[in-house]
Amino acid sequence: MVFFLQILENILNSFRGGKKAKNGPDGNRFSSSSSLDARISEKKSIKVTMATRGPPQSWNHGLCSCFTDCGICCWGYWCPCWLYGDTAKKLDTARGIQDAGCCLDCCVFFLLSFFCLQGFVGCGRRRDLRTQFNLQGEDCPACCAYTCCGGCAVCQDANEYRYREREIIRSQQQQQVQMQPVVQQQMTSGDAAQKL
């Protein structure tokens, strides 16, 4: 299964114009996220940064909580491949892939769903989501969720990404608000020193 995922990822990267996937120290591309962490830390313009490392966090949205956001629920019910492509595009953009587009991911997901094989690409994207936000989970249940209930799995990923994105933006805003009094205090103490 890992070999099949490597082939699919190499095909997707070749269509995107990306480089061939690098293997980890044991020859397995999917066993280590150190190369992903290195690529993410090199990029300076990432809007959604990775969660701080520590114990993996639990998911905020479950597989059957697709009704949390009615817009995502309808999108995932009528066009799951498009929602999958949109979430994949956001993940790629956050990882620093500049020419991330949702069309290729959407088409691959759509074609594989005819043969009930969308779980193979779905578990790869879910792995990206888990890596980026330090979430709990494994590949086998993700593959089963995408294969048996693809619409719900796509909605869960989209809801989780939106939730984590909002949390990061909220924490960045709080940090900016906390920094403003310090900067103002330094400016006033500097003005007082100039007057002396």
Side-chain angles (χ1 to χ4, degrees):
M1 182 168 136
V2 172
F3 179 72
F4 183 69
L5 290 174
Q6 287 175 329
I7 291 171
L8 279 176
E9 184 168 350
N10 288 336
I11 290 170
L12 289 174
N13 286 336
S14 67
F15 280 113
R16 288 186 189 127
K19 297 179 181 175
K20 185 177 177 182
K22 295 180 183 177
N23 292 337
D26 61 351
N28 186 352
R29 162 73 170 95
F30 300 103
S31 64
S32 172
S33 64
S34 61
S35 64
L36 175 63
D37 292 341
R39 284 186 289 171
I40 289 175
S41 64
E42 290 174 1
K43 301 295 179 184
K44 302 292 184 202
S45 63
I46 296 175
K47 294 178 184 175
V48 179
T49 58
M50 289 179 51
T52 56
R53 292 293 170 205
Q57 302 173 11
S58 61
W59 288 69
N60 189 49
H61 296 277
L63 185 63
C64 297
S65 66
C66 48
F67 297 108
T68 304
D69 184 342
C70 286
I72 288 180
C73 181
C74 291
W75 197 4
Y77 181 74
W78 283 297
C79 297
C81 54
W82 189 11
L83 181 58
Y84 172 81
D86 183 65
T87 306
K89 177 184 174 186
K90 290 176 184 177
L91 284 169
D92 285 344
T93 303
R95 286 177 28 200
I97 298 174
Q98 299 300 326
D99 298 329
C102 69
C103 185
L104 179 65
D105 290 308
C106 176
C107 292
V108 168
F109 188 84
F110 178 73
L111 292 174
L112 289 176
S113 66
F114 281 112
F115 306 104
C116 294
L117 296 174
Q118 72 271 21
F120 290 114
V121 293
C123 73
R125 282 299 169 184
R126 184 156 294 192
R127 182 183 315 108
D128 293 342
L129 185 68
R130 285 193 323 258
T131 302
Q132 183 170 345
F133 296 115
N134 194 24
L135 298 172
Q136 297 173 345
E138 296 179 7
D139 287 342
C140 188
C143 184
C144 292
Y146 265 94
T147 302
C148 298
C149 192
C152 292
V154 169
C155 289
Q156 180 187 16
D157 288 353
N159 280 325
E160 192 68 32
Y161 186 87
R162 280 193 180 177
Y163 171 76
R164 299 293 172 172
E165 185 179 41
R166 288 178 189 151
E167 287 297 311
I168 288 173
I169 291 170
R170 187 177 300 131
S171 69
Q172 289 172 351
Q173 289 173 345
Q174 287 175 350
Q175 288 175 354
Q176 289 175 352
V177 169
Q178 290 173 353
M179 291 298 290
Q180 286 177 353
V182 173
V183 172
Q184 289 174 353
Q185 186 179 35
Q186 290 174 351
M187 289 175 52
T188 57
S189 65
D191 292 340
Q194 286 180 354
K195 290 179 183 178
L196 293 176

